[in-house]
Amino acid sequence: MNPVTLAVDKALEFTVVGSFSRVGYATRSRLESWIDPPSLAGQRVLITGATSGIGFEAAARLAALGANITFVARDESRARSAMTALQSRSKNDRVEYLLGDTSDLVAMRRVAESVAARGTLDVLIHNAGAISATRTLSPQGFEVTVAAQLLGPFHLTRLLLPVLAGAQPGRVLTVSSGGLYSQRFDLATLELDGANYDGVAAYAKVKRAQLVLNHEWVHHVSSRDVVFHAMHPGWADTPGLAASLPTFYSLAKPWLRTPAQGADTLVWLAGARETSRTTGDFWMDRHPRFEHKVPWTRSRDSGRDQVLLWDWCLERTSRY
């Protein structure tokens, strides 16, 4: 990156609004002359949450690059519609779906067994995510935000490590959110109880936890076998945002990125050659980013946090 482009990028990142909005995407993509990753013909991609929004756009672009796409969805009617739309748009018939709720650990094992039976998996994308207005529990009794966006993905990743390693390296990509910048990791309050439940806070806490876990994965899996990356898409115009944060959505709508713009870094991480040579990073707009905007979200002992969270997830998922 030349000095002028670097200076513009840093200035955008400092403003936050300029960085996360469509302005950041438009400016960076033009200055850096972004191009698509190389062909993904023959590669297998598994993605959750692809029936709409960023997940749908990522699946469409990856399929257009030639990848074989399997997406995980909860509702069969929506899954069939999404599959048809993805095949039509990408001109690629190698798009299929598996039914499963990411909050259900038993369902994630079924998905993993089905995927593993077909051989090597090149890319696993954890995209499914939502803000819950009220506190609900997963089939195994965990708060559903934690179950769907942390425990389920952790379980699915562990089960698929053997087939991901066959890609040498496989890639595990996690879609996070700018909301994490508001939260410090605290395992004791990760699962909010009924009296203190706030769906927005629960979501942001889990997004912070995803990054903590992203760093810990690299201590358990060789980068020759599997690399791990997390990213956030900026502020994108998605059905989930409109439904969960209507006031913010109304105010920010003129500045929101399109779902395709929000998905760009995810697609790039899935296919760019350079992202197979690093691991454990947090990305936005095709560059590693700092994970803290304010000092009070920093941990006093991040290494200890990682180990504690890993053990916590392992204890809750290993029986399933």
Side-chain angles (χ1 to χ4, degrees), residues 86-161:
L86 287 168
Q87 290 174 338
S88 175
R89 179 166 154 185
S90 67
K91 305 298 188 290
N92 182 349
D93 291 334
R94 295 181 301 278
V95 179
E96 61 181 4
Y97 66 87
L98 294 170
L99 293 179
D101 187 330
T102 58
S103 72
D104 185 342
L105 300 178
V106 174
M108 288 302 94
R109 176 171 286 278
R110 288 198 299 267
V111 167
E113 290 171 348
S114 179
V115 172
R118 305 176 195 186
T120 297
L121 178 67
D122 296 275
V123 185
L124 169 59
I125 300 175
H126 299 301
N127 170 72
I131 296 175
S132 299
T134 58
R135 188 179 191 273
T136 57
L137 299 180
S138 73
Q140 287 76 41
F142 305 113
E143 191 276 315
V144 75
T145 307
V146 171
Q149 299 178 57
L150 191 69
L151 293 175
F154 176 82
H155 192 44
L156 184 60
T157 301
R158 284 188 68 241
L159 294 170
L160 288 174
L161 284 177

Side-chain angles (χ1 to χ4, degrees), residues 237-259:
D237 189 345
T238 64
L241 181 65
S244 58
L245 295 172
T247 301
F248 173 79
Y249 179 81
S250 177
L251 293 172
K253 186 170 176 55
W255 305 99
L256 296 178
R257 299 176 178 210
T258 67

Side-chain angles (χ1 to χ4, degrees), residues 164-165 167-171 217-229 275-280:
L164 283 161
Q168 290 198 324
R171 307 183 196 209
W217 271 111
V218 306
H219 298 297
H220 296 265
V221 183
S222 169
S223 60
R224 293 188 299 272
D225 294 329
V226 184
V227 297
F228 296 83
H229 295 292
T275 59
S276 69
R277 297 191 288 267
T278 64
T279 189

Side-chain angles (χ1 to χ4, degrees), residues 270-292:
R273 292 187 177 93
E274 54 264 46
T275 59
S276 69
R277 297 191 288 267
T278 64
T279 189
D281 291 325
F282 177 53
W283 301 78
M284 190 192 77
D285 284 349
R286 303 195 182 192
H287 292 283
R289 301 295 175 185
F290 291 117
E291 298 174 15
H292 302 275

